[in-house]
Amino acid sequence: MVSKREPGVTKKDIVRTISDELDLTQQQTKEIVQRTLDLIIEALARDGRIELRNFGIFEVKRRAARRARNPLTNEVVPVPAKQVVTFKPGKLMEEKVQDLDFDGHQDHGENEGTSTEPNVDANPNSIQSTIQNLSGNWDD
């Protein structure tokens, strides 16, 4: 079963915040936000690239045709070439995202040194023996 992910921030949240900060009506702000998004889409369709300083770069790239496999039937299916939009975050966004913990909250260092990531520098022999021990238990 696939769990449905709740949206973090919606367009409505953005409109409400900007409206409050700039003392505009929500309707005025909604029109500005929507027009901005429309212009980004138009620029991508026309030019294939839009760079927003301190935010990031949206770019249209061609994804080559390929063959995929239907996981339910194991049937090979052709996937046609298509255009996809890619996004490369700007430096400021990259820095802000690096400050987040895995739940999407700002990490203020209180969990420093208590990483939940596996130790990639672990001795491969001990990993190998652990795998062998586990697989041995599955055969019983």
Side-chain angles (χ1 to χ4, degrees):
M1 182 171 129
V2 176
S3 65
K4 185 175 180 182
R5 203 174 148 178
E6 291 188 31
V9 175
T10 64
K11 185 167 54 171
K12 187 174 186 175
D13 296 329
I14 293 169
V15 167
R16 187 178 305 121
T17 300
I18 293 172
S19 172
D20 291 346
E21 288 179 8
L22 299 180
D23 200 28
L24 297 171
T25 67
Q26 285 193 17
Q27 185 59 39
Q28 290 170 316
T29 306
K30 181 180 175 185
E31 290 172 15
I32 292 167
V33 169
Q34 188 58 55
R35 186 65 185 130
T36 302
L37 297 174
D38 291 344
L39 286 170
I40 290 170
I41 293 168
E42 290 171 20
L44 280 171
R46 182 185 60 245
D47 302 326
R49 179 182 165 97
I50 182 167
E51 182 174 339
L52 303 171
R53 300 254 185 233
N54 296 320
F55 186 75
I57 300 169
F58 293 93
E59 192 168 20
V60 177
K61 293 187 177 181
R62 180 170 177 79
R63 183 172 293 160
R66 61 187 176 91
R67 292 187 322 209
R69 189 171 302 276
N70 180 332
L72 296 176
T73 64
N74 211 23
E75 175 187 5
V76 175
V77 292
V79 178
K82 65 180 180 178
Q83 307 283 75
V84 295
V85 177
T86 61
F87 177 72
K88 181 179 181 208
K91 184 178 179 183
L92 179 61
M93 183 184 297
E94 199 62 61
E95 290 170 357
K96 290 278 188 184
V97 169
Q98 289 304 314
D99 289 342
L100 296 176
D101 63 17
F102 286 101
D103 294 329
H105 300 96
Q106 288 290 166
D107 185 9
H108 299 289
E110 55 272 347
N111 296 328
E112 202 161 9
T114 59
S115 172
T116 58
E117 292 293 315
N119 182 0
V120 294
D121 295 327
N123 181 344
N125 293 332
S126 64
I127 292 172
Q128 183 67 25
S129 64
T130 301
I131 292 170
Q132 288 172 345
N133 288 339
L134 287 173
S135 64
N137 294 338
W138 292 334
D139 293 335
D140 292 339

